[in-house]
Amino acid sequence: MDIPKGTYGFRFAEDKELQLCVLFAAGYDSITTSSYHWDGLERTDGPLLLFQYTLSGEGVYESGNRTHRVTAGQAFLAEIPGPHRYYYPAESNEPWEFIFLLFRPNLILPHWRRFLREAGEVPYLPVDSAPVRLSRIIVADAGAGRISDPLIASSCVYQFMTELTRMHVTTLRNRENWPGNVRRAAEFIELNYSRMISIDQLSEHVSLSKYHLIRRFSASTGMTPGAYLTRIRTEKAMELLRGTGLSLETIAERIGYSSGSYFIKAFRNLTGLTPGEFRSGVDSLAYRKLFFD
């Protein structure tokens, strides 16, 4: 599919009788200069959600104290405004080619936050996956003037977010189709979640380089090895919280966290609840956030 280069903005009149998803902009670009730089705390056009997918080359995405090299096949998800920035690295010698979608949080924020918790802020998405194909279609339709009213725009946004969430659910349920080295890596994590597992240790166990392990694992499961480890630890923590009277510090130690405070943060990021809230039965449906019922 030929994608027209450019950025296409949408400013439809608001219909107060209808609750619609809002597409703010879509585009395709190829960056070759280090003047390309966005700071999430300096932007005034929010609140917005940004999905940006790299087709070739690479860019840099910084969030908090984490720095990610975003290469072909990877996307980053950013909430605007927010403590992040993304830019074209000055030392790069090839264009950073990407497509992007910007939309308002209306109606879709729960979907977005769930995918972010499960897959991470820089997930790997196969180029032929439904969300990537759909994002390309949205950009192509935007360039051709086919997104001509707010109902069409809303449908594009909601379908994209549905496909993004659905892809993640499907990859986890199709474990039997994962490559052998990905299954071995997942099994190693499941057996050794209670101790520190480095990516070096994991890549050595499955005889893959760190780069290829992360790429294959993410493509097969929809999450990085680190995110998968957090998921397994959270599942085990749920069993201990509901089935025992152990303290949070003890549970944290048993599932491999260095402190209770780190355990609380990781648990809340994934489930939306603190361990104490989950233990007290505030929301018995929290299990479903992990098992996709």
Side-chain angles (χ1 to χ4, degrees), residues 238 241-242 267-268 271-289:
M238 284 179 164
L241 286 166
R242 286 287 175 85
F267 190 94
R268 187 171 189 171
T271 68
L273 301 172
T274 67
E277 288 170 338
F278 178 79
R279 170 172 266 171
S280 66
V282 168
D283 184 359
S284 61
L285 298 181
Y287 282 107
R288 298 187 179 185
K289 293 186 178 182

Side-chain angles (χ1 to χ4, degrees), residues 55-77:
L55 298 169
S56 65
E58 69 173 29
V60 177
Y61 177 69
E62 296 179 358
S63 175
N65 59 358
R66 298 177 298 275
T67 299
H68 306 272
R69 289 276 177 170
V70 188
T71 59
Q74 287 182 296
F76 68 82
L77 287 76

Side-chain angles (χ1 to χ4, degrees), residues 20-42:
L20 298 176
C21 303
V22 179
L23 180 62
F24 184 80
Y28 159 65
D29 213 338
S30 181
I31 302 299
T32 58
T33 171
S34 57
S35 63
Y36 179 85
H37 181 282
W38 291 89
D39 189 318
L41 290 176
E42 295 180 354

Side-chain angles (χ1 to χ4, degrees), residues 24 40 42 51 65 115 126 133 143 175-176 180 189 191 207 209 212 225 229 243 245 247 254 270 285:
F24 184 80
E42 295 180 354
F51 172 86
N65 59 358
F115 180 82
R133 292 200 310 270
R175 181 173 177 137
E176 65 275 9
I189 290 171
L191 290 172
S207 302
S209 69
H212 285 100
L229 173 60
S247 69
R254 286 200 179 185
L270 189 56
L285 298 181

Side-chain angles (χ1 to χ4, degrees), residues 193-195 240 244 246 249-257:
Y193 66 88
S194 61
R195 58 190 179 88
L240 294 171
T244 75
L246 295 173
E249 288 288 344
T250 301
I251 292 175
E253 184 179 355
R254 286 200 179 185
I255 63 175
Y257 287 118

